[in-house]
Amino acid sequence: VFPNVGKGGFIVGGASGNGVLYENGKIVGMTSLKELTVGFQAGGEAITEVVFFETQADVDKFKEENFEFGAGVSATALKSGASLNKEFSDGVAVFTYTKGGLMGDVSVGGQKFKYDPF
């Protein structure tokens, strides 16, 4: 769970945030994310991002260094936002909630995560 992710860009974009990894309802460590994208994008937004894993093996893979996956497509205007996210893909499903901002984003790139266990 990443409660506060800042995202912005103009052609080249980026995002950053910190979160918590829950496993079976218990906090097991801290996480951070970095995102780099290139494409048609302009503006900035604040989002909450939640990543779900399909199996325990997928959680274990996340805990390894250099966990990455591709970014999606979104559009945000002020406090309302819509995000097109896939169902589970390679064991991962990502849901976002826009807290505010103004951003149009059709880009390619990816997110990279770091995990620090307690």
Side-chain angles (χ1 to χ4, degrees):
V1 176
F2 297 90
N4 295 304
V5 177
K7 183 176 179 180
F10 182 74
I11 301 173
V12 175
S16 180
N18 294 310
V20 177
L21 177 64
Y22 291 87
E23 194 170 353
N24 299 315
K26 297 179 184 170
I27 297 173
V28 296
M30 300 300 294
T31 62
S32 63
L33 77 82
K34 303 286 184 214
E35 177 181 274
L36 180 63
T37 55
V38 177
F40 177 74
Q41 58 189 327
E45 65 183 336
I47 65 172
T48 296
E49 182 171 316
V50 180
V51 180
F52 291 94
F53 299 98
E54 194 168 21
T55 66
Q56 183 62 47
D58 297 320
V59 174
D60 294 340
K61 183 179 175 185
F62 176 82
K63 291 178 179 180
E64 296 173 6
E65 279 298 314
N66 301 322
F67 184 84
E68 300 180 32
F69 57 80
V73 176
S74 65
T76 303
L78 301 177
K79 287 259 182 199
S80 64
S83 178
L84 301 176
N85 293 300
K86 300 178 187 177
E87 294 180 6
F88 282 104
S89 176
D90 294 327
V92 178
V94 178
F95 297 90
T96 59
Y97 170 76
T98 302
K99 298 163 90 173
L102 180 60
M103 183 163 192
D105 181 4
V106 179
S107 60
V108 295
Q111 292 183 332
K112 184 171 184 174
F113 296 85
K114 181 180 176 193
Y115 169 69
D116 294 313
F118 286 138

